[in-house]
């Protein structure tokens, strides 16, 4: 209600405009809180999925080292089981990243963290793309255990950087620390 129009001419109580404005801002604040919580939930899902993948890759790294240290004689079945678990966890991460609300969202609706987070995602995906070559080299024992470990460490480091970035974008610093 414009200030130039007296309240008597609007048919409303003088405080009605202020009340409407107050309620509108309270509703807007609640919508922002809901949006922030939805983004936090997505960040938590990403952190959980990537953390699970890191866990499986660490197991694969250990089994691969034992396989290489034995000259390919031992730990082959254990390594194969670890690879299968890692692949399943990787598929879950890639499926999560392919969701429309993650990769196809408008900038206002995208994951919090924007360019920094998406850059970390791209780096992590690039590192994951190198797993095929890494596994092939280990299977044919082209590398020593130390080289394989370093390569696994680079993949894991890229994933952990993604976890830290995803956790860092939470609106509440205490929540970031918990993630």
């Amino acid at each position: 209600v414009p200030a130039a129009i007296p309240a008597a001419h609007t048919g409303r109580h003088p405080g009605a405009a202020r009340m409407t404005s107050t309620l509108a801002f309270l509703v807007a604040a609640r919508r922002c809180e809901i949006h922030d919580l939805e983004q936090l939930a997505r960040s938590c899902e990403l952190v959980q999925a990537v953390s699970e993948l890191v866990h499986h890759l660490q197991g694969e790294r250990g089994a691969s080292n034992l396989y290489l240290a034995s000259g390919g004689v031992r730990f082959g079945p254990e390594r194969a089981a670890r690879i299968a678990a890692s692949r399943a966890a990787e598929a879950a991460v890639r499926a999560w990243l392919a969701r429309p609300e993650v990769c196809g969202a408008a900038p206002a609706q995208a994951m919090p963290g924007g360019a920094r987070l998406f850059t970390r995602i791209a780096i992590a995906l690039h590192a994951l793309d190198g797993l095929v070559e890494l596994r092939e080299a280990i299977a044919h024992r082209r590398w020593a255990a130390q080289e394989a470990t370093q390569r696994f460490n680079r993949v894991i480091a890229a994933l952990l950087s993604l976890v830290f970035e995803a956790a860092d974008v939470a609106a509440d610093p205490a929540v970031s620390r918990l993630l």
Side-chain angles (χ1 to χ4, degrees):
V1 177
I5 301 174
H9 296 292
T10 64
R12 295 170 56 182
H13 187 271
R18 283 192 301 267
M19 179 61 85
T20 301
S21 177
T22 301
L23 288 175
F25 281 102
L26 286 173
V27 168
R30 291 293 176 230
R31 286 184 183 142
C32 286
E33 287 176 354
I34 290 168
H35 182 262
D36 289 349
L37 289 173
E38 288 169 344
Q39 288 190 324
L40 177 60
R42 283 194 292 274
S43 292
C44 288
E45 290 172 358
L46 177 61
V47 167
Q48 178 63 37
V50 173
S51 296
E52 186 74 17
L53 175 55
V54 166
H55 171 73
H56 288 294
L57 286 172
Q58 288 170 328
E60 182 182 345
R61 177 183 59 193
S64 295
N65 284 337
L66 292 170
Y67 174 80
L68 289 169
S70 74
V73 176
R74 300 181 64 210
F75 298 99
E78 292 87 350
R79 179 175 171 268
R82 298 295 184 148
I83 290 171
S86 293
R87 283 183 174 150
E90 179 184 353
V93 168
R94 288 181 183 273
W96 190 92
L97 291 172
R99 290 173 21 191
E101 67 270 22
V102 176
C103 66
Q109 299 169 331
M111 288 285 297
R116 287 188 350 221
L117 179 64
F118 288 131
T119 299
R120 290 290 179 196
I121 290 170
I123 291 168
L125 289 173
H126 180 71
L128 289 173
D129 290 343
L131 285 174
V132 172
E133 178 188 347
L134 173 59
R135 290 175 179 138
E136 175 84 12
I138 292 168
H140 292 98
R141 297 187 317 275
R142 288 194 296 255
W143 294 330
Q146 183 177 1
E147 177 68 20
T149 297
Q150 289 174 352
R151 292 190 183 238
F152 269 112
N153 288 348
R154 282 184 279 230
V155 174
I156 291 168
L159 292 168
L160 290 175
S161 292
L162 172 55
V163 167
F164 293 134
E165 190 63 44
D168 192 43
V169 298
D172 184 350
V175 172
S176 288
R177 284 190 296 277
L178 290 174
L179 285 175

